[in-house]
Amino acid sequence: MIVGVGIDVVDVARFMATIERVPALRTRLFTPDERDLPDASLAARFAAKEAIAKALGAPPGMSWQDATVRRVVGAQPVVEMTGTVLARARELGVDRFHLSISHDAGIASAMVVAERD
């Protein structure tokens, strides 16, 4: 059963200009494993986190650090949850996320479906 759907689109250049203007955002928004990714991949991870939040109903107090998006060669990316994201997913009964991320022509996008059995 689908619990929620989220989508987000990010202009890569604009996003990276914001990160350069406010360097602390890199640490606030991304886990250590994500922080050194290329610009387009970083923007796509941000879009994914926004889409995850939307799929979970965008509850206040969710921490960006509590969702890590991992690339799996030959498969769709994986969402690893901890803390506030995991708590909200459990509250809604979410067992899994289906995540698609893409970047091309200066745009990064992500689409998430949160599902439970």
Side-chain angles (χ1 to χ4, degrees), residues 70-76:
R70 298 213 186 275
R71 181 175 176 261
V72 178
V73 177
Q76 73 183 71

Side-chain angles (χ1 to χ4, degrees), residues 24-113:
L25 280 177
R26 188 181 294 263
T27 302
R28 182 175 157 228
L29 298 175
F30 300 104
T31 62
D33 289 345
E34 297 170 320
R35 289 182 192 144
D36 295 324
L37 292 169
D39 293 356
S41 294
L42 200 64
R45 294 308 187 282
F46 178 71
K49 290 178 185 223
E50 281 279 347
I52 290 164
K54 291 172 183 175
L56 294 175
M62 275 184 39
S63 171
W64 298 103
Q65 292 284 324
D66 291 344
T68 302
V69 177
R70 298 213 186 275
R71 181 175 176 261
V72 178
V73 177
Q76 73 183 71
V78 174
V79 178
E80 293 180 0
M81 302 176 287
T82 60
T84 58
V85 175
L86 180 59
R88 179 62 175 173
R90 285 182 175 161
E91 180 182 329
L92 296 174
V94 173
D95 301 303
R96 63 197 158 275
F97 289 103
H98 303 278
L99 169 63
S100 178
I101 58 177
S102 184
H103 46 80
D104 187 35
I107 300 293
S109 63
M111 192 272 197
V112 171
V113 175

